[in-house]
């Protein structure tokens, strides 16, 4: 197991790809919780919309990062 320096770990966590995965997880979680009636429908829709906005922002960040290289 290799250890990462704190700055390398921070760069990895702040990457657009990790943000994209986190937002996909948010969309899936909101959908499942609303479908199982663990949260009300309006809250589920709000969580999913926030997730989709985050996915859009992550894709824009990924495109910007690719343009810089």
């Amino acid at each position: 197991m290799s250890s990462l320096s704190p700055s390398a770990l921070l760069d990895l966590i702040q990457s657009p790809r990790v943000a994209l995965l986190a937002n996909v997880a948010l969309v899936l979680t909101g959908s499942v919780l609303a479908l199982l009636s663990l949260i009300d429908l309006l809250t589920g829709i709000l969580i999913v919309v926030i997730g989709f906005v985050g996915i859009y922002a992550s894709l824009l960040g990924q495109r910007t990062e690719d343009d810089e290289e």
Side-chain angles (χ1 to χ4, degrees):
M1 187 168 131
S2 65
S3 63
L4 293 172
S5 68
S7 62
L9 184 62
L10 189 60
D11 287 340
L12 178 68
I13 291 173
Q14 291 180 341
S15 73
R17 180 171 292 160
V18 172
L20 178 66
L21 292 174
N23 286 306
V24 168
L26 182 64
V27 168
L28 291 174
T29 302
S31 300
V32 169
L33 290 176
L35 286 173
L36 295 176
S37 297
L38 296 175
I39 56 176
D40 63 308
L41 185 61
L42 186 60
T43 304
I45 290 171
L46 180 65
I47 291 171
V48 170
V49 167
I50 290 170
F52 279 131
V53 169
I55 288 171
Y56 178 71
S58 298
L59 291 174
L60 284 178
Q62 218 169 18
R63 182 182 299 165
T64 303
E65 188 177 85
D66 290 342
D67 289 344
E68 289 176 357
E69 291 176 359

